[in-house]
């Protein structure tokens, strides 16, 4: 990436601004189409999942501990537990599994 870093930052800022500003300027009435409303409702969740899931799998030393921590988080979230409870329990599961892997040399 040769060039001026400020140009890259300016282009990134412009693109980010346009993505957010264009819908506000082009759509000045309420959206009534239920498919478009549903799409816009779930876009933040899908984006967050797409950014988070790969990090979950590759942020630990073992894929096994990552999958078990993810499964724990899914189960607790499905049961309606709070975000802090889900996060702490998932981290605890990953920590314990990592220690067991080191202990038993898997």
């Amino acid at each position: 990436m040769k060039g001026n870093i400020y140009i890259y930052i300016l282009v990134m800022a412009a693109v980010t601004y346009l993505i957010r500003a264009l819908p506000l300027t082009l759509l000045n009435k309420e959206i009534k189409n239920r498919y478009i409303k549903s799409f816009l409702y779930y876009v933040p969740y899908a984006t967050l999942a797409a950014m988070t899931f790969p990090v979950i799998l590759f942020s630990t030393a073992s894929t096994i501990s990552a999958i078990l921590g993810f499964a724990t988080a899914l189960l607790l979230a499905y049961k309606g537990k709070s975000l802090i409870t889900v996060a702490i329990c998932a981290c605890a599961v990953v920590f314990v599994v990592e220690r067991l892997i080191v202990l038993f040399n898997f």
Side-chain angles (χ1 to χ4, degrees):
M1 282 182 56
K2 293 184 179 186
N4 192 347
I5 187 74
Y6 297 112
I7 293 173
Y8 298 140
I9 293 172
L10 182 65
V11 169
M12 182 190 65
V15 169
T16 304
Y17 177 75
L18 285 176
I19 290 172
R20 293 171 186 259
L22 279 178
L24 291 174
T25 57
L26 297 178
L27 303 172
N28 52 6
K29 59 183 179 178
E30 182 183 352
I31 299 171
K32 296 189 180 180
N33 186 326
R34 69 182 220 184
Y35 296 109
I36 294 175
K37 285 175 83 169
S38 176
F39 173 77
L40 293 175
Y41 179 80
Y42 288 110
V43 163
Y45 300 111
T47 305
L48 183 61
M51 291 187 312
T52 306
F53 187 70
V55 175
I56 290 171
L57 293 180
F58 300 113
S59 64
T60 63
S62 169
T63 306
I64 296 169
S65 64
I67 290 171
L68 290 174
F70 180 64
T72 302
L74 280 178
L75 179 69
L76 292 175
Y78 181 74
K79 296 230 178 227
K81 301 299 179 186
S82 69
L83 179 61
I84 192 73
T85 303
V86 171
I88 289 172
C89 290
C91 290
V93 167
V94 169
F95 180 76
V96 169
V97 172
E98 290 284 331
R99 296 300 120 218
L100 290 174
I101 289 172
V102 170
L103 183 66
F104 294 115
N105 293 321
F106 284 121

